[in-house]
Amino acid sequence: MNVDVLNRSGVRPAASVRAAIADCDIHPRITGTKVLEPWLSRQWREHLETFGMTHRQPFEKGAAYPKSQPLASRRDAWPPGGAPGSDLGFMAHQHLDPNNVALGILNPLTPSGQGAMNPDLSAAVTHAVNEWQVAHWTSRDARLKASVVVPYEDGEASAREIELRAGDPNFAQVLLLTRTAEPLGQRRYWPIYEAAAAAGLPVGIHAFGFGGWAISAAGWPSHYIEEAVGHAQCCQSVLTSLVLEGVFERFPTLKIVLVEAGFAWAPPLAWRLDRNWARLKQEVPRAARKPSEYIRSQVWFTSQPMEEPEPRTNLLDTIEWMGWDRLLFATDYPHWDFDDPATALPLKLTEDQRAAIFRENARAVYGL
Amino acid sequence: MPDAGPIDCDVHPFVPSLKALHPYLDRFWRDTFIRRGLEELNSTSYPTVNPLTARADWREAGGKPPSTPARLAANVLDPMGTRLAICNCLYGVQLLYNEDMAIALTRALNDWIAREWLDADPRLRASIVVAPQNPHAAAEEIDRCAADPRFVQVLMLVSGEAPLGKRQHWPIFEAAQRNNLALGIHAGSAYRHPVTAVGWPTTFTEDYVNQAQAFQSGLTSLLAEGVFTKFPDLTVVLIESGVTWLPAHAQRLTKTWKGVRPDIPWVVQAPDEIMRARVRLTVQPFDGPPDARGLERILDHLGSDEILLFATDYPHWQFDGLEALPPGIPDGLRRKMMVDNPLRTYVRLKQTLGETVA
């Protein structure tokens, strides 16, 4: 998977013979805050020019742990003269058309304003990013749906942004990142869930972010691989918090989609939660029901990066434990660990199972 | 040894109060603790009143966790026919910021374990508790205690000041390896960092559930830093970690390693293979699925019948009655977990059993 030149076009079947898929994790690249200027007030344009935008991490630019590839992207995903994910035409030609993507969920990452240290700047930039997604992406390609990026450390401001997008068919979900200042079940974030549930928008929670905490409970590890693998632990902690703090109980129509953190960890986590809840539920009365019941009914998982057991059929047990209606296919285009829909799920599935994972589950979650 | 009883790889001697350690402290530290009014060092990871910390029917009159070898014998060793039990003492020595204080207390704690527990019941073995705040002093403590063959393991918490595999900890691993001691990693935190990677939780329940994620990160760190490569004879035992998270974690680590191998070039074998060969887990808690078929499948996912070690986690409340294993474990695996796997993992056990172990 980690090769310098990957010319996939030669080995690809024609789109017409491939079933339509939903891709629940596509990253359109914001090439810099300059592109957001049409939707930023003069105050914030000047602020960005004078002070920039900083996050709770060491380096001004780039990740705390240097990625394994430039911009963590496929070597073949660079459009002429541009950055991966920045050009709709190139993306359509390389990914949407040949893979017959009928529904693509856009999840813009840095510099989206999410997790910016300055909360007011975070609110201004995330708002602009939402306008940018409509102007540059969803209004130009009906297959694509945007995510409402919100300044999640400020619950009230986030709720206002969600209310602004409620009912707008350009948007399919609200987007949060996993690494926040506090575990996402805590009450400062509840206005987000309340607004999302009211708007009928699922809340996608994507790996990464800028909470300022080490990515392990024992502190900062040394290597990129530890961070990359660590996102699965972060996501487990997020789900644990949502369950035990009572978010699902309080917002019974809320749908949570966990994005880019894998999924094979979910059944063992549910077993562990159930077991401890049975013993200690007096301490967590806001989780009124067995944790696995909330997870089974209100949580979905995108598939990439998919765990690859030996033998691969073990994955069938995992999906059985999760429920066949829980898994949403995603490629993570244009990132280096892209899962190719032609090869990513090498299992004998029934037509219905394949359709569910590659398309129908997404349609059901997003109501599209 | 066909009829031998089980080897219990995780029981916890409870330190009734700091006063119990006074006889094992030198005069300076004994006076210091008295003068400063320090009476106990129990960790937030196991609040003494919490139901999980001690099973209700095992608590002493007055409610304290059971704190004598006689109670351990009466509660589990005798009724289960236990052949050997490994004492993992959880006391807040790793939590202290003053490393001199931590070193002094660690020495006292290990001596207390030897005199008050190992001497009291011939079935008992123990882990050497170390203060990783000062790895060189920890290594000296390992060498000191290892003269007593009843110590079979070095004990660390999964969450300390820095990720487990970091090179600063290597003197500890080197000392463990040279003394044929396993490296035991136990649930619990020194609280230098939140127990989640996304900040501080609000409940004990959340803290405890998140220990499994801490173990995942800890295992990643040991692997990524090259500990398994550098110390080829070291076996790592994850204690009270939960078990069923392991396959998914090993798969993700292996898949990511295939993608970014140059990040950790010293890891030349697939992580899941390394783990099967070098990592062992105690089986309480197991965190298994609710049904027999699910149990059968997840045991298959683990990919080895040699990695699980029988444990009661006494006196923590993981099960009721005397059946410590989840129902449905096949007989052959039960025997391996109870006898064969512990004897292979803890090579020093055979030294003290002499001729009786073939």
Side-chain angles (χ1 to χ4, degrees):
Chain A
M1 87 178 86
N2 182 18
V3 287
D4 280 355
V5 179
L6 210 55
N7 181 3
R8 293 163 186 277
S9 54
V11 297
R12 208 150 271 246
S16 57
V17 301
R18 308 186 65 158
I21 65 165
D23 180 352
C24 295
D25 189 27
I26 296 175
H27 297 294
R29 183 159 197 92
I30 308 162
T31 49
T33 51
K34 277 263 177 228
V35 304
L36 304 174
E37 284 190 345
W39 306 284
L40 289 168
S41 70
R42 190 171 149 194
Q43 177 203 347
W44 291 116
R45 288 199 306 272
E46 288 178 359
H47 181 106
L48 285 166
E49 271 170 26
T50 314
F51 303 103
M53 180 164 63
T54 51
H55 302 81
R56 293 180 179 185
Q57 64 155 26
F59 298 120
E60 177 190 13
K61 275 185 91 173
Y65 294 88
K67 304 283 186 186
S68 63
Q69 327 273 326
L71 301 182
S73 290
R74 281 168 51 172
R75 298 283 185 175
D76 63 349
W78 295 70
S86 65
D87 182 312
L88 173 59
F90 188 89
M91 180 191 286
H93 181 70
Q94 183 172 51
H95 174 43
L96 305 180
D97 299 341
N99 287 322
N100 201 2
V101 176
L103 167 64
I105 305 293
L106 300 175
N107 291 320
L109 300 174
T110 321
S112 69
Q114 294 201 297
M117 273 209 270
N118 179 324
D120 295 325
L121 179 63
S122 179
V125 172
T126 50
H127 174 81
V129 167
N130 292 329
E131 296 292 332
W132 170 84
Q133 290 182 85
V134 175
H136 281 263
W137 299 89
T138 59
S139 68
R140 293 169 57 202
D141 193 320
R143 295 172 291 187
L144 299 177
K145 294 290 176 188
S147 293
V148 185
V149 294
V150 294
Y152 48 68
E153 298 300 353
D154 182 339
E156 299 297 337
S158 298
R160 284 195 296 277
E161 185 66 27
I162 294 166
E163 283 155 17
L164 203 61
R165 311 295 171 184
D168 182 339
N170 287 292
F171 293 92
Q173 70 176 353
V174 172
L175 185 67
L176 311 178
L177 301 179
T178 47
R179 297 182 67 189
T180 46
E182 290 175 12
L184 271 170
Q186 295 191 16
R187 270 163 275 182
R188 63 188 282 176
Y189 304 109
W190 285 27
I192 299 172
Y193 308 128
E194 186 170 15
L201 290 168
V203 173
I205 307 177
H206 190 286
F208 310 130
F210 307 94
W213 303 109
I215 194 155
S216 98
W220 298 93
S222 309
H223 306 97
Y224 171 60
I225 187 174
E226 300 181 68
E227 188 199 39
V229 171
H231 289 301
Q233 286 81 68
C234 290
C235 207
Q236 293 170 59
S237 299
V238 169
L239 183 53
T240 299
S241 173
L242 291 169
V243 168
L244 294 180
E245 297 284 353
V247 170
F248 296 115
E249 183 66 26
R250 173 68 183 79
F251 305 106
T253 61
L254 179 68
K255 298 174 177 177
I256 296 285
V257 182
L258 299 175
V259 186
E260 205 184 335
F263 57 88
W265 47 262
L269 177 65
W271 301 330
R272 184 170 174 89
L273 276 164
D274 278 359
R275 176 186 159 80
N276 287 293
W277 177 84
R279 271 147 219 271
L280 303 166
K281 58 188 167 192
Q282 189 188 7
E283 192 197 22
V284 287
R286 291 195 300 274
R289 286 159 58 203
K290 203 155 78 162
S292 60
E293 292 178 16
Y294 296 118
I295 296 170
R296 184 67 184 80
S297 59
Q298 287 179 261
V299 182
W300 286 260
F301 302 82
T302 66
S303 58
Q304 182 278 342
M306 190 172 322
E307 287 85 355
E308 294 174 1
E310 286 286 341
R312 60 181 59 152
T313 48
N314 282 359
L315 207 57
L316 293 171
D317 295 324
T318 296
I319 302 173
E320 197 72 43
W321 286 323
M322 296 167 65
W324 285 92
D325 58 343
R326 296 291 109 183
L327 196 57
L328 312 174
F329 181 74
T331 65
D332 194 30
Y333 182 89
H335 291 153
W336 70 270
D337 44 351
F338 174 86
D339 272 352
D340 188 322
T343 55
L345 198 57
L347 294 171
K348 270 190 190 149
L349 302 178
T350 67
E351 280 299 304
D352 284 352
Q353 288 169 337
R354 190 162 285 277
I357 292 171
F358 279 93
R359 190 177 57 246
E360 299 306 321
N361 291 345
R363 283 191 172 148
V365 175
Y366 294 116
L368 294 166
Chain B
M1 200 171 62
D3 299 311
I7 298 172
D8 187 341
C9 297
D10 187 29
V11 301
H12 298 294
F14 179 76
V15 180
S17 77
L18 190 55
K19 216 172 177 177
L21 302 185
H22 282 184
Y24 304 98
L25 288 162
D26 68 25
R27 188 162 175 181
F28 171 80
W29 286 109
R30 191 166 57 240
D31 289 352
T32 294
F33 295 139
I34 292 168
R35 191 175 70 249
R36 295 172 69 172
L38 196 63
E39 290 174 352
E40 58 151 295
L41 283 173
N42 294 318
S43 166
T44 298
S45 299
Y46 296 94
T48 46
V49 295
N50 190 284
L52 210 79
T53 301
R55 214 171 92 173
D57 59 330
W58 288 338
R59 284 182 185 265
E60 291 182 353
K64 272 201 161 190
S67 62
T68 62
R71 289 294 301 267
L72 169 64
N75 286 333
V76 290
L77 304 187
D78 296 344
M80 289 188 184
T82 304
R83 180 158 200 217
L84 296 170
I86 299 171
C87 297
N88 294 317
C89 190
L90 301 175
Y91 202 53
V93 292
Q94 305 91 344
L95 284 54
L96 292 163
Y97 294 95
N98 176 339
E99 66 181 54
D100 296 322
M101 189 185 283
I103 293 164
L105 270 166
T106 304
R107 290 177 65 97
L109 191 63
N110 288 322
D111 288 344
W112 176 79
I113 293 165
R115 295 290 80 76
E116 313 271 343
W117 292 76
L118 302 186
D119 287 354
D121 192 319
R123 290 169 292 188
L124 297 183
R125 301 293 180 271
S127 295
I128 302 166
V129 178
V130 295
Q133 295 95 319
N134 183 329
H136 293 283
E140 281 174 26
E141 178 66 3
I142 291 167
D143 288 333
R144 185 184 77 89
C145 294
D148 182 339
R150 297 171 300 177
F151 284 106
V152 298
Q153 176 170 247
V154 170
L155 190 67
M156 292 176 77
L157 297 182
V158 68
S159 301
E161 293 187 348
L164 276 171
K166 281 267 192 183
R167 314 280 157 84
Q168 67 198 60
H169 292 140
W170 286 20
I172 297 174
F173 307 149
E174 199 170 347
Q177 179 176 265
R178 83 171 155 258
N179 287 293
N180 293 320
L181 296 155
L183 174 66
I185 309 294
H186 198 282
S189 177
Y191 296 97
R192 302 298 197 266
H193 310 274
V195 293
T196 92
V198 296
W200 292 88
T202 59
T203 60
F204 170 83
T205 308
E206 192 177 353
D207 179 311
Y208 191 75
V209 169
N210 271 287
Q211 294 300 320
Q213 287 78 65
F215 274 99
Q216 292 163 44
S217 306
L219 197 45
T220 301
S221 173
L222 288 167
L223 186 119
E225 298 280 356
V227 171
F228 295 108
T229 312
K230 178 75 179 177
F231 304 102
D233 298 325
L234 189 67
T235 298
V236 172
V237 184
L238 309 183
I239 309 170
E240 204 182 333
S241 59
V243 172
T244 54
W245 53 263
L246 184 71
H249 184 60
Q251 289 154 25
R252 180 167 177 129
L253 198 44
T254 303
K255 176 170 177 168
T256 313
W257 169 78
K258 287 177 185 168
V260 302
R261 275 182 69 165
D263 198 31
I264 47 171
W266 41 84
V267 178
V268 295
Q269 192 184 359
D272 56 350
E273 290 173 23
I274 295 175
M275 288 183 198
R276 270 196 297 277
R278 308 287 299 282
V279 176
R280 302 292 176 257
L281 301 92
T282 63
V283 294
Q284 275 298 355
F286 186 75
D287 295 331
D291 59 308
R293 165 80 184 150
L295 179 75
E296 188 190 323
R297 293 308 307 142
I298 197 72
L299 286 173
D300 188 48
H301 289 203
L302 286 166
S304 169
D305 58 2
E306 295 181 353
I307 60 172
L308 299 180
L309 306 177
F310 174 76
T312 57
D313 192 21
Y314 171 90
H316 297 169
W317 180 30
Q318 303 290 6
F319 62 95
D320 294 304
L322 286 172
E323 182 49 66
L325 289 177
I329 304 256
D331 284 346
L333 180 58
R334 278 175 70 96
R335 194 204 133 84
K336 287 199 123 180
M337 286 161 61
M338 287 179 162
V339 180
D340 303 345
N341 296 347
L343 287 175
R344 279 214 189 94
T345 302
Y346 298 109
V347 293
R348 287 167 63 112
L349 284 180
K350 287 192 180 177
Q351 271 181 48
T352 55
L353 287 178
E355 297 302 307
T356 58
V357 179

